Amino acid sequence: MSTWSHDRPPYLGGSIGHVKRITIAIDGYSSCGKSTLAKQLAHHLHYTYIDSGAMYRAVALYAMENGLITDDALDRPNLLRVLPNIHIAFKHDDATQRSATMLDGRNVEHRIREMDVSNNVTLVSPVPEVRAKLVQLQQEMGEGGGVVMDGRDIGTVVFPNAEVKFFMTASTEVRAQRRYLELKGRGAEVTLQEVMANLERRDLDDTTREADPLIEAPDAFVIDNSHLTSAEQFDLALGHVVKAIGVVTEA
Ligand code: DC
């Protein structure tokens, strides 16, 4: 529950005073713009944004740095042994004014976005023990509502009772092009073909793994943003959120 000033729109509590802060789950394929939409909504609603994929990436980076991934193979017994000691958190970064992913107290926000981590993340993400640890952490972080979380299993496993669920998709070509430009913009040495191959591999891994595969929650709003601008997508999503807040608003 929180109190808002009177000049805000009604769904933010303008004339009502108290508005229940809901949970918004965003799932979908890799590089679909989930985080863009999640950040827009979180910013607009004054909610917390949580990037669950960053947590799987951080576990992959840990495994890479500690000799637990060699020749595309994961040393699973040893990962399970050290798993309880891997510490993952988010911390506000004063320099960028954004939340940063912390692995054992170290800021790995940029490192986990690099291609080698993207290529190794689906070695650790299917491991049920890894998922159990991260899902629990995500549920704790989202306790009390007022969060927008994006990932693959947020509306199905992490927050099956989320008031609003989105399932995002776009064509592989559009997604690869967007991701390629993003990586290039950060100075990465990468080709469009490599990005496309990584996306296709992760889509296959994410949808076919046994533990918590990427599937559409039956009550999710599907957004195909192949031909939507980010402003159009935001308006569409906000419309659903406003309706849901209207339903759960407490006077
Ligand atoms: O959202 P992302 O591309 O940064 O996620 C990286 C990987 O983590 C992705 O290939 C699948 C996995 N992941 C997952 O299994 N479950 C989640 N909730 C989020 C991500």
Side-chain angles (χ1 to χ4, degrees):
M1 300 282 276
S2 79
T3 305
W4 299 92
S5 69
H6 286 260
D7 53 1
R8 291 173 187 273
Y11 61 88
L12 291 181
S15 58
I16 299 160
H18 295 288
V19 168
K20 184 174 174 195
R21 287 154 70 72
I22 67 168
T23 299
I24 302 172
I26 304 183
D27 291 305
Y29 295 98
S30 295
S31 301
C32 256
K34 297 186 296 293
S35 70
T36 302
L37 177 63
K39 283 179 201 161
Q40 286 171 323
L41 288 172
H43 178 76
H44 185 80
L45 298 163
H46 300 260
Y47 281 16
T48 303
Y49 163 59
I50 301 171
D51 174 359
S52 72
M55 300 163 85
Y56 290 91
R57 287 172 178 271
V59 174
L61 180 62
Y62 180 97
M64 290 160 66
E65 289 182 339
N66 289 275
L68 301 174
I69 292 180
T70 37
D71 298 332
D72 284 341
L74 173 70
D75 176 352
R76 190 167 162 147
N78 274 317
L79 177 66
L80 297 191
R81 198 174 48 75
V82 295
L83 189 60
N85 306 325
I86 303 178
H87 185 257
I88 294 165
F90 294 104
K91 193 176 161 220
H92 185 76
D93 182 345
D94 291 333
T96 60
Q97 285 296 306
R98 291 188 178 171
S99 162
T101 310
M102 308 295 291
L103 171 62
D104 292 332
R106 177 169 55 111
N107 185 332
V108 294
E109 183 58 30
H110 293 302
R111 179 68 187 92
I112 58 170
R113 314 287 165 190
E114 290 176 17
M115 270 315 270
D116 55 347
V117 178
S118 295
N119 282 330
N120 284 318
V121 67
T122 52
L123 289 174
V124 302
S125 60
V127 178
E129 292 85 349
V130 170
R131 304 203 68 80
K133 176 185 168 103
L134 298 187
V135 167
Q136 189 188 348
L137 208 57
Q138 289 151 13
Q139 288 171 335
E140 286 166 11
M141 289 174 173
E143 228 170 337
V147 305
V148 186
M149 192 178 292
D150 71 345
R152 305 294 188 287
D153 58 346
I154 310 306
T156 51
V157 175
V158 181
F159 298 123
N161 298 323
E163 287 87 349
V164 179
K165 300 177 186 178
F166 293 111
F167 187 90
M168 292 177 58
T169 179
S171 73
T172 315
E173 291 71 24
V174 167
R175 291 188 286 138
Q177 185 67 32
R178 285 182 192 151
R179 184 95 183 120
Y180 172 71
L181 291 177
E182 188 189 323
L183 286 167
K184 282 304 234 187
R186 279 197 233 131
E189 284 293 321
V190 68
T191 66
L192 183 60
Q193 285 68 30
E194 282 171 326
V195 174
M196 179 91 89
N198 174 261
L199 282 189
E200 285 172 342
R201 152 105 192 274
R202 283 199 292 145
D203 285 352
L204 185 69
D205 288 348
D206 290 345
T207 50
T208 56
R209 70 171 175 238
E210 249 173 65
D212 314 338
L214 170 65
I215 43 167
E216 231 177 272
D219 50 347
F221 298 110
V222 178
I223 299 180
D224 181 336
N225 64 21
S226 304
H227 305 291
L228 290 181
T229 65
S230 89
E232 287 166 340
Q233 168 173 277
F234 173 67
D235 285 345
L236 181 68
L238 185 62
H240 292 299
V241 170
V242 169
K243 252 191 226 157
I245 292 179
V247 170
V248 297
T249 294
E250 294 169 5

